[in-house]
Amino acid sequence: MKRRLDAGEAVYLVDVRNPDENAFCRLSESLLIPLPELPGRVDEVEPPEGALVVVYCHHGVRSLSGAAILARAGQEAVASLSGGIDAWSRLIDPGVPRY
């Protein structure tokens, strides 16, 4: 994802964590839809044309389910952020608080 962002490619972030987790830390310009709510709210995921939809959570488990839900709903180009926001903080941006 970092490579895509650095290259200026369109990335649309969907955070499937809980609101309290999102309030503590988040990746900028991400859409929060907690995983249990995602099946009923898939129509809110509206990426720009050609954007990669990246679903993320704390460690990457919930995001795999979220990506599968979006793919089944017909969303194209969906990925899960491997290692979640925790790995992003450790490996890419230490300014993102860890919990």
Side-chain angles (χ1 to χ4, degrees), residues 81-97:
L81 181 60
S82 180
I85 196 169
D86 187 67
W88 184 265
S89 177
R90 285 185 294 106
L91 302 171
I92 307 298
D93 183 359
V96 174

Side-chain angles (χ1 to χ4, degrees), residues 11 18 25 52:
V11 176
N18 296 319
C25 67
L52 173 67

